[in-house]
Amino acid sequence: MKLTFFGAAHAVTGSCHCLEVNGKKILIDCGLEQGKDEHDANALDFAPNYIDYVLVTHAHIDHSGRIPLLVKEGFNGRILTTSLTAQLLSVMLRDSAHIQEGDAQWHNQKGKRAGLPPVEPLYTLVDAEEAVHMLETVEYGWLFDLCDGVKVRFSDAGHLLGSSILEVWATEDGVTRKIVFSGDLGNQDQPIIRDPSLIDSADYVVMESTYGDRNHEPPKSYTGALANLIDEVFSRGGNIVIPSFAVGRTQELLYYLREIKRDGLVKSLPSFKVYVDSPLASEATKIYSGNLHGYLDEEAISVIQGGENLFTFPGLTLTQSTEESRALNEDRTPKIIISASGMCDAGRIRHHLKHNLWRPECAVVFVGYQGEGTLGRYLLEGARSVKLFGEDISVRAKIVNFKGLSSHADRDHLLQWIEHFSPRPQQVFVVHGDHEVTELFANDLNQRGIPAHAPLYEEVYDLSTNCMLAKGVVLEVKKTVGSAATPSSAYLRLQNVSHDLADLIGRSRGRPNKDLAKLADQIKQIMEKWE
């Protein structure tokens, strides 16, 4: 009875763990590695036809995005998830395939001019559609036999509609162990969805730690804080651009904006327009507007019972075509633009940033986690300029981190969740967090008397004897030459100082020549010291 970690080990993305019981190999998630987590071009580290089952915790691409690759390379087993996750995957995996094909086409256009050999997409739309056709669905609370010696139950993780905690009972050679996979645990008191389920017991827990080093700082009123920000920007005649994950976060924003509109909280422009500029988000919103029985929290149920739609209101437009998307930046009327991707690394959001970042009357509002090495993190850390589509864009818009909106449990809620287990697990494997965070959170658990460690990539653990069979390896952090996603925080600080220096020089014109010569000599001395 073995557990191997093939992803999200000392990393936030690429969740992928393999449980081996009675010769059967069960993959828990098969996510795409993103940003600095990516290695080996997202290649699989095992033979796909070696895998018998895939259990999917939820639809986010960092947990599901390599399933089409698995199918492409020969997997012919069973893929199980909740019915709502399956609906979302039908949209998200096809969208991911479209991105893979588009990226390959773009690289080949550039590479052809440079005489480089063509590259193939990681997978195609055909691969994604085949994966979708293989999905089998279960519902929360069902206890079912997966295979000989293995029982499984999906419980609500409260992170995304359909997201799950997996409880697995594995029996081999007369020894039974219960393993719980947290998936991504949701924040408390989110709109629309329920709080994460509490699990009573387990021998082993594989636990996420995205926010394991900090707590959220929610405002007293989400709608009030968001309305105040909208009023502030609109009174200046600016736009609000919100990079948002198409599934989950966008619908949550629409829920809040519906309340803001209903209650008349924006005074400067009560009839303001909201544009969801993402075909994927539009498709996901249609799914969210369907049959959600068994998934909604009590507040959302009461809204529906009162005859309201959770995600529509006057002034909302779901754009589809690229022409509609471009037109948004030609219209000077203040508006809210919600667009993907959530970390600004791809998609239409980059066009909206190009047209709005340089405008001081505008605001860019981040409403979710920004991974290291992403353009979103770069902006949050104070970048003065960014390069978009080969053009240097000055960052003059207001950059806001709306911390109250998070679909992940924070440190205190993670601790509350794991401390509910009684008796305490034999071992907690801390995954799905930045390198420093996984180590810090594992140390927090150990100090509380809960045995824990942060496994490395390809670590193998014997669950029968509670011992490590093979140590994992430390992966190199991906470096992208010339990318805006490369700089460290220290480099960003240095870059900001260079902008301040340029401003100082610009303001120094007209000063006495003696002072200018002295300043020039001092700058030259510093430069010579560091050359």
Side-chain angles (χ1 to χ4, degrees):
M1 190 185 304
K2 297 188 297 185
L3 181 62
T4 306
F5 298 89
F6 287 118
H10 285 244
V12 176
T13 65
S15 288
C16 187
H17 319 299
C18 185
L19 177 64
E20 186 174 348
V21 184
N22 298 321
K24 297 294 185 182
K25 295 167 183 69
I26 306 160
L27 215 58
I28 292 84
D29 287 338
C30 192
L32 202 65
E33 298 165 342
Q34 299 167 310
K36 73 178 184 66
D37 295 340
E38 183 184 337
H39 77 287
D40 293 337
N42 266 302
L44 297 171
D45 303 291
F46 45 83
N49 57 6
Y50 188 68
I51 304 298
D52 299 288
Y53 303 91
V54 181
L55 305 178
V56 187
T57 62
H58 65 286
H60 280 151
I61 289 299
D62 63 326
H63 287 256
S64 68
R66 281 192 289 178
I67 293 176
L69 177 63
L70 194 71
V71 172
K72 173 185 177 181
E73 296 191 356
F75 171 76
N76 59 3
R78 299 172 63 193
I79 308 172
L80 294 92
T81 191
T82 63
S83 59
L84 196 51
T85 294
Q87 291 180 57
L88 293 173
L89 284 174
S90 71
V91 176
M92 296 189 71
L93 293 183
R94 289 185 175 96
D95 181 75
S96 180
H98 176 72
I99 292 172
Q100 300 299 330
E101 291 177 331
D103 285 350
Q105 182 181 17
W106 181 81
H107 282 293
N108 287 336
Q109 286 174 344
K110 290 188 66 178
K112 189 175 182 179
R113 293 192 294 268
L116 299 174
V119 299
E120 294 291 328
L122 190 65
Y123 50 82
T124 66
L125 181 59
V126 172
D127 302 318
E129 289 177 339
E130 187 175 350
V132 169
H133 290 147
M134 295 173 67
L135 295 174
E136 301 177 33
T137 62
V138 298
E139 296 301 336
Y140 291 144
W142 291 5
L143 180 63
F144 61 94
D145 292 314
L146 181 68
C147 58
D148 181 36
V150 179
K151 293 180 181 294
V152 177
R153 180 164 62 203
F154 285 65
S155 297
D156 197 340
H159 170 68
L160 177 73
L161 282 179
S163 64
S164 300
I165 299 163
L166 300 183
E167 297 175 86
V168 180
W169 289 262
T171 302
E172 183 175 270
D173 296 330
V175 176
T176 299
R177 296 286 183 264
K178 182 182 178 184
I179 310 101
V180 170
F181 297 86
S182 75
D184 281 356
L185 295 172
N187 198 1
Q188 299 285 330
D189 301 321
Q190 293 184 90
I192 309 168
I193 60 179
R194 298 176 294 203
D195 288 347
S197 301
L198 295 174
I199 310 300
D200 294 329
S201 64
D203 297 297
Y204 299 96
V205 178
V206 180
M207 183 178 183
E208 71 115 324
S209 61
T210 309
Y211 283 91
D213 63 337
R214 58 204 182 281
N215 287 324
H216 301 315
E217 300 173 16
K220 292 180 181 179
S221 166
Y222 291 137
T223 52
L226 187 56
N228 290 338
L229 178 63
I230 295 169
D231 247 338
E232 175 192 334
V233 175
F234 283 177
S235 64
R236 298 196 300 260
N239 295 326
I240 292 179
V241 177
I242 306 179
S244 179
F245 297 100
V247 179
R249 183 50 41 78
T250 292
Q251 291 73 36
E252 187 177 342
L253 280 167
L254 294 179
Y255 184 91
Y256 285 130
L257 290 169
R258 177 189 58 81
E259 291 185 333
I260 289 171
K261 282 265 191 176
R262 181 196 64 196
D263 298 338
L265 299 182
V266 173
K267 308 300 182 185
S268 58
L269 189 61
S271 60
F272 66 90
K273 304 288 188 180
V274 177
Y275 295 89
V276 176
D277 187 32
S278 165
L280 174 59
S282 298
E283 289 297 315
T285 301
K286 292 175 185 176
I287 293 173
Y288 268 59
S289 300
N291 182 8
L292 302 180
H293 179 73
Y295 294 97
L296 295 177
D297 65 10
E298 292 182 3
E299 182 179 353
I301 291 172
S302 67
V303 170
I304 292 175
Q305 289 175 341
E308 292 187 66
N309 187 299
L310 292 173
F311 311 110
T312 63
F313 46 82
L316 173 65
T317 300
L318 306 180
T319 64
Q320 294 292 333
S321 69
T322 54
E323 290 76 14
E324 290 176 301
S325 178
R326 291 193 191 101
L328 297 180
N329 292 309
E330 297 170 0
D331 174 20
R332 306 303 290 181
T333 306
K335 67 185 76 64
I336 296 174
I337 303 172
I338 303 171
S339 187
S341 72
M343 296 188 191
C344 307
D345 275 354
R348 296 180 179 182
I349 186 63
R350 295 171 71 87
H351 290 275
H352 297 307
L353 292 174
K354 176 182 176 180
H355 286 277
N356 290 276
L357 272 175
W358 57 273
R359 298 174 57 194
E361 68 272 23
C362 295
V364 177
V365 181
F366 289 97
V367 292
Y369 180 79
Q370 303 299 307
E372 283 190 43
T374 63
L375 178 58
R377 175 71 74 91
Y378 188 47
L379 288 168
L380 279 180
E381 289 180 339
R384 298 289 186 90
S385 67
V386 296
K387 182 162 286 190
L388 292 167
F389 307 104
E391 183 178 345
D392 289 322
I393 307 297
S394 177
V395 180
R396 301 177 66 197
K398 182 175 183 177
I399 306 298
V400 180
N401 190 11
F402 207 81
K403 296 180 180 180
L405 290 175
S406 176
S407 60
H408 281 273
D410 63 12
R411 177 181 178 274
D412 283 353
H413 290 137
L414 289 172
L415 290 172
Q416 289 173 16
W417 185 81
I418 192 64
E419 287 180 333
H420 182 80
F421 285 79
S422 181
R424 292 181 169 181
Q426 296 181 36
Q427 187 73 237
V428 176
F429 303 100
V430 179
V431 296
H432 205 291
D434 285 327
H435 168 73
E436 297 82 3
V437 176
T438 55
E439 292 291 347
L440 181 65
F441 191 71
N443 185 57
D444 276 352
L445 296 184
N446 282 310
Q447 289 181 351
R448 286 169 166 76
I450 303 173
H453 80 281
L456 293 172
Y457 173 72
E458 289 191 334
E459 176 179 306
V460 183
Y461 210 86
D462 187 331
L463 302 182
S464 299
T465 60
N466 191 19
C467 68
M468 187 186 300
L469 295 178
K471 293 182 66 175
V473 297
V474 177
L475 296 174
E476 289 187 14
V477 174
K478 177 184 176 184
K479 289 179 170 37
T480 307
V481 178
S483 167
T486 303
S488 65
S489 297
Y491 180 83
L492 290 175
R493 182 181 176 191
L494 177 63
Q495 190 177 59
N496 287 342
V497 170
S498 74
H499 289 288
D500 293 339
L501 177 59
D503 290 340
L504 174 62
I505 293 171
R507 296 194 308 271
S508 296
R509 188 172 184 176
R511 287 186 177 183
N513 289 338
K514 182 176 68 173
D515 292 343
L516 294 177
K518 184 177 180 180
L519 176 60
D521 289 341
Q522 290 174 342
I523 294 173
K524 188 174 181 180
Q525 287 175 5
I526 294 173
M527 292 171 61
E528 290 173 347
K529 178 180 178 181
W530 290 96
E531 284 181 348

